[in-house]
Amino acid sequence: KLLTEKGAAKKMLRFLLLVNKQGQTRLSQYYSHVPVEERVTTEADIVRKCLARNEELCSFMEYKNYKVVYRKYASLYFIIAIDNSDNELSVLEFIHTAVETFDRYFESVCELDIMFNVNKAHMILDEMVVNGNIVETNRSRVLAPVAVMDKAATIK
């Protein structure tokens, strides 16, 4: 377990964004407190830079005191901000695992699935990431609580 200078646990992920090709945020999850005004400007800057980058460039870039890792799947960009000392490749692998998990649940995930089921998308991410730390990557274990909730919703 990594610790900061103050002895608190070090968070790997700072925030996660799902954004469409037009730059509209479809889902955002923050793992540390960021004031709303700062969130809006940070999201706008990062999204603009990710959308403007050539596909031939690598999927990492530095932004202020973060390292931004992103990947485009179909019409959605998965964007994650991490600390400068964290491993970009592990975050790319996490993005891929998250997409595969969404694909399994939504049966080929698309932007509309996220838009109309944002609570389920948050629930899936909450099973995978706790307090900025990736805690589960097994798709079956991640989706089991969601399946229980779906089953409970159908019982009358």
Side-chain angles (χ1 to χ4, degrees):
K1 189 181 217 183
L2 298 173
L3 298 178
T4 62
E5 295 167 1
K6 296 179 183 175
K10 183 177 182 282
K11 295 179 182 181
M12 183 173 177
L13 308 183
R14 292 299 173 176
F15 58 84
L16 179 145
L17 306 171
L18 267 63
V19 179
N20 68 10
K21 289 190 279 189
Q22 289 76 36
Q24 299 166 315
T25 302
R26 295 303 182 196
L27 181 143
S28 66
Q29 185 94 15
Y30 284 79
Y31 299 105
S32 56
H33 176 71
V34 178
V36 175
E37 302 80 23
E38 187 178 332
R39 283 184 187 197
V40 171
T41 57
T42 300
E43 281 184 29
D45 277 353
I46 289 175
V47 168
R48 188 172 37 258
K49 288 180 182 193
C50 286
L51 293 177
R53 286 173 64 95
N54 187 330
E55 288 186 21
E56 295 174 5
L57 295 175
C58 75
S59 297
F60 324 135
M61 66 179 180
E62 291 187 10
Y63 177 81
K64 294 187 179 176
N65 56 339
Y66 301 121
K67 206 181 291 181
V68 176
V69 180
Y70 68 95
R71 182 122 187 225
K72 181 182 174 194
Y73 284 91
S75 65
L76 284 175
Y77 283 84
F78 287 72
I79 302 170
I80 296 180
I82 59 175
D83 288 327
N84 284 319
S85 61
D86 289 331
N87 186 335
E88 306 93 344
L89 295 178
S90 66
V91 176
L92 273 178
E93 187 62 32
F94 170 73
I95 291 171
H96 185 71
T97 302
V99 170
E100 286 179 335
T101 306
F102 284 137
D103 273 346
R104 183 183 283 181
Y105 181 76
F106 293 114
E107 298 173 5
S108 189
V109 69
C110 68
E111 181 181 352
L112 291 175
D113 291 325
I114 300 297
M115 286 174 56
F116 294 122
N117 299 289
V118 72
N119 290 339
K120 295 276 172 72
H122 274 289
M123 188 174 179
I124 290 168
L125 287 173
D126 288 345
E127 290 296 322
M128 298 178 85
V129 180
V130 174
N131 199 26
N133 295 301
I134 299 168
V135 294
E136 186 61 71
T137 56
N138 182 303
R139 288 186 296 279
S140 299
R141 288 191 199 141
V142 168
L143 294 176
V146 182
V148 169
M149 294 293 287
D150 287 346
K151 187 175 181 181
T154 59
I155 297 174
K156 297 200 182 210

